[in-house]
């Protein structure tokens, strides 16, 4: 496959861009693969990529019922940060954030990583205490964050209202190298690299059953027929429960809709990401100028990929009190994704009761930022059959043993 470069762009410009080849192939499925990955979201594609890159395993199929990146990976608000409280979380999210720093070069695909800085506002005394504690934990974990005062918040984000009507801004947890990336580009970049390694990305192909023999997976039934495999990996986010049920076990996980909206594009006015957990809303500005806004999850389980209207009202109300200029904006689009939420708000990267099936899910409202770290750890688990250091604490057995990795605070507004 041709390398993307400034020379390639110049060459193609001279010949009316006729020479670009397709970024990834669309093959028919083979009868059998070493590894079948269900779900061509960021996590599935990243797992495939690191299976090839780190372990030389390339006889891999990535099976997707819709189109690649069409799940939560293409629906999120793209916030990247690693300021989590617990050690295992900080380790995997910081690994991911580090991989984002060089992702465009590694994949030869511009994922538009923009480390513009992320701040989580403290608007109550309890939040101040919580974020100071996280900043302290991050210092021990080697994650660079700091607690900043209200004046610095205003300096970094002039459109913010410090003396809000209900909750004044008292400070913030600030991660300077947090930021955003273009979410579709992350999926497309990994897909192109996987296809380049000879892996098969099979879209419009729904897995409907998991076939087994003597307690081991033999393959999957799909809308394109049976596909055999030596190992099966499930990375289907909000559909994780369904996949597990097909294989005969349950997951301690719920699926709920989470929604986001964007405004009409306006002039650049905000070059950081701001999350306001107490009033419940968060905002950043996209490269196109739209204000990207996110809110909370529905309080009931569903698979609608829509989200309910009252959340839009609540989110916009929260943002208007934090950023009064929002009241003058027109909203352009709204959408939802189905996120997979665990009780401790931490992911599952785990072996399953079936020896050769592995599961990665439960990233809930915040799994875009973890895509490269999660793929790295999952590839290690699938290749070796045992978790490496990044995944070791995220096994399913933690729910039975009461070893929760409580991130309910770090995952407040989430993301
Ligand atoms: C509105 C919203 C905002 C968010 N904001 C952020 C944020 O700012 N920062 C952040 O870090 N995270 C955020 N997230 C969370 C993040 O998007 C997800 O955690 C992450 O994208 C999950 O990626 P994935 O690859 O696991 O899942 P997905 O991208 O959903 O991919 C799973 C794929 O599996 C496919 N699939 C499902 N069932 C089957 C089947 N039976 N057969 C074949 N294929 C199947 C689906 O079609 C889907 O494409 C947000 C999510 C939403 C919805």
């Amino acid at each position: 496959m041709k390398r993307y470069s400034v020379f390639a762009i110049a060459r193609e410009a001279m010949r009316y861009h006729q020479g670009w080849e397709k970024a990834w192939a669309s093959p028919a499925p083979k009868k059998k693969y070493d590894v079948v990955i269900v779900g061509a979201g960021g996590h599935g594609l990243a797992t495939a990529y690191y299976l090839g890159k780190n372990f030389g395993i390339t006889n891999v199929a990535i099976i997707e019922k819709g189109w690649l990146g069409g799940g939560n990976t293409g629906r999120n608000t793209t916030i990247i940060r690693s300021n989590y409280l617990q050690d295992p979380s900080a380790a995997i999210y910081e690994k991911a954030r580090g991989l984002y720093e060089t992702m465009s070069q590694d994949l030869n695909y511009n994922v538009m990583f923009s480390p513009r800085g992320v701040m989580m506002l403290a608007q109550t005394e309890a939040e101040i205490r919580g974020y100071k504690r996280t900043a302290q934990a991050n210092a021990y974990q080697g994650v660079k964050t700091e607690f900043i005062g209200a004046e610095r918040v205003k300096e970094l984000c002039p459109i913010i209202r410090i003396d809000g009507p209900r909750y004044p801004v008292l400070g913030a947890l600030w991660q300077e190298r947090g930021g955003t990336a273009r979410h579709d580009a992350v999926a497309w970049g990994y897909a192109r690299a996987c296809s380049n390694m000879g892996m098969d990305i099979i879209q419009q192909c729904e897995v409907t059953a998991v076939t087994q023999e003597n307690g081991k997976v033999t393959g999957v039934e799909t809308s394109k027929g049976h596909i055999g495999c030596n190992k099966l990996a499930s990375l289907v986010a909000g559909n994780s429960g369904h996949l597990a049920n097909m294989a005969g076990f349950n997951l301690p996980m719920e699926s709920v809709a989470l929604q986001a909206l964007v405004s009409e594009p306006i002039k650049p006015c905000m070059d950081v990401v701001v999350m306001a957990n107490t009033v419940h809303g968060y905002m950043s500005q996209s490269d196109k100028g739209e204000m990207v806004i996110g809110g909370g999850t529905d309080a009931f389980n569903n698979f609608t990929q829509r989200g309910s209207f009252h959340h839009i009202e609540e989110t916009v109300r929260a943002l208007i009190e934090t950023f009064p200029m929002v009241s003058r904006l027109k909203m352009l689009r709204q959408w939802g994704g189905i996120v997979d939420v665990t009780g401790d708000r931490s992911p599952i990267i785990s072996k399953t009761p079936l020896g050769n099936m592995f599961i990665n899910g439960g990233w809930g409202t915040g799994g875009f930022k973890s895509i490269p770290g999660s793929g790295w750890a999952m590839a290690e688990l699938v290749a070796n059959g045992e978790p490496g250091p990044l995944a070791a604490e995220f096994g399913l057995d933690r729910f039975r043993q009461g070893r929760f990795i409580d991130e309910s605070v770090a995952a407040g507004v989430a993301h």
Side-chain angles (χ1 to χ4, degrees):
M1 195 169 276
K2 275 190 210 138
R3 271 191 72 74
Y4 291 153
S5 69
V6 66
F7 303 109
I9 293 172
R11 191 177 52 242
E12 288 306 323
M14 306 290 281
R15 51 183 189 191
Y16 303 99
H17 294 282
Q18 298 295 309
W20 296 116
E21 44 192 359
K22 286 216 161 127
W24 53 83
S26 299
K30 291 192 275 194
K31 280 208 159 49
K32 193 172 176 188
Y33 294 88
D34 289 340
V35 179
V36 162
I37 291 175
V38 190
H43 289 262
L45 291 161
T47 299
Y49 174 72
Y50 293 112
L51 271 174
K53 188 175 177 208
N54 295 352
F55 298 96
I57 300 172
T58 55
N59 184 17
V60 175
I62 306 125
I63 299 180
E64 168 55 51
K65 72 173 174 181
W67 65 97
L68 72 87
N72 294 341
T73 298
R75 292 166 187 267
N76 61 69
T77 44
T78 78
I79 299 174
I80 295 169
R81 60 185 176 88
S82 57
N83 52 356
Y84 283 72
L85 179 64
Q86 311 291 350
D87 292 350
S89 327
I92 195 161
Y93 286 106
E94 178 61 10
K95 171 77 181 172
R97 204 202 53 75
L99 289 168
Y100 268 115
E101 296 262 3
T102 56
M103 188 182 282
S104 294
Q105 292 76 17
D106 295 345
L107 298 179
N108 179 227
Y109 202 98
N110 186 4
V111 301
M112 301 182 202
F113 176 56
S114 164
R116 60 185 68 180
V118 173
M119 64 170 78
M120 297 166 85
L121 301 182
Q123 294 181 282
T124 62
E125 292 297 330
E127 269 186 315
I128 294 183
R129 276 197 302 277
Y131 288 146
K132 284 190 171 166
R133 183 175 65 147
T134 303
Q136 186 70 21
N138 289 165
Y140 296 138
Q141 293 151 345
V143 177
K144 205 165 168 267
T145 62
E146 60 180 310
F147 187 83
I148 56 174
E151 304 74 41
R152 180 102 173 99
V153 169
K154 182 78 182 166
E155 208 179 287
L156 286 163
C157 185
I159 62 168
I160 214 163
R161 180 171 178 189
I162 297 291
D163 57 345
R166 287 193 299 161
Y167 295 99
V169 173
L170 305 170
L173 181 65
W174 170 240
Q175 184 168 25
E176 199 170 18
R177 294 299 292 179
T180 59
R182 170 86 192 266
H183 48 195
D184 325 272
V186 171
W188 297 337
Y190 275 126
R192 181 168 171 270
C194 289
S195 186
N196 206 15
M197 285 191 272
M199 298 179 182
D200 288 353
I201 301 167
I202 301 159
Q203 301 182 69
Q204 305 291 324
C205 180
E206 179 168 5
V207 170
T208 52
V210 174
T211 54
Q212 323 177 11
E213 229 176 75
N214 305 325
K216 289 214 153 190
V217 172
T218 52
V220 285
E221 292 297 344
T222 77
S223 47
K224 294 191 177 175
H226 184 263
I227 303 175
C229 65
N230 295 332
K231 291 182 180 180
L232 179 67
S234 162
L235 297 101
V236 293
N239 285 281
S240 297
H242 290 320
L243 246 292
N245 288 164
M246 286 178 205
F249 59 94
N250 288 323
L251 289 176
M253 205 185 269
E254 293 188 354
S255 294
V256 285
L258 172 69
Q259 61 184 308
L261 47 153
V262 291
S263 74
E264 59 188 331
I266 54 172
K267 282 188 195 166
C269 64
M270 183 184 184
D271 60 1
V272 293
V273 180
V274 176
M275 304 167 74
N277 289 347
T278 294
V279 294
H280 222 91
Y282 62 97
M283 190 163 85
S284 64
Q285 189 165 22
S286 77
D287 295 339
K288 286 185 280 183
E290 299 160 341
M291 304 312 288
V292 181
I293 295 170
T297 48
D298 278 352
F300 50 91
N301 302 132
N302 68 88
F303 292 88
T304 56
Q305 294 196 312
R306 267 200 314 267
S308 27
F309 186 73
H310 73 274
H311 263 306
I312 303 178
E313 275 191 307
E314 280 170 16
T315 303
V316 172
R317 187 168 56 218
L319 284 174
I320 287 174
E321 66 178 83
T322 317
F323 307 96
M325 50 80 82
V326 168
S327 66
R328 308 286 297 276
L329 285 180
K330 292 189 181 68
M331 291 301 146
L332 262 194
R333 296 191 302 280
Q334 174 271 353
W335 65 90
I338 302 305
V339 296
D340 38 344
V341 184
T342 62
D344 60 1
R345 300 296 187 268
S346 287
I348 295 167
I349 309 173
S350 184
K351 298 197 271 190
T352 69
L354 296 166
N356 57 345
M357 177 173 175
F358 305 91
I359 173 136
N360 179 315
W363 293 98
T365 55
F368 173 68
K369 65 179 73 63
S370 62
I371 283 172
S374 156
W376 186 286
M378 184 68 175
E380 206 170 9
L381 172 63
V382 174
N384 299 333
E386 289 296 330
L390 278 180
E393 300 295 323
F394 293 108
L396 266 173
D397 50 4
R398 77 173 187 271
F399 297 98
R400 212 168 294 122
Q401 296 163 356
R403 276 187 302 104
F404 303 119
I405 305 170
D406 183 1
E407 289 293 358
S408 45
V409 174
V413 156
H415 329 307

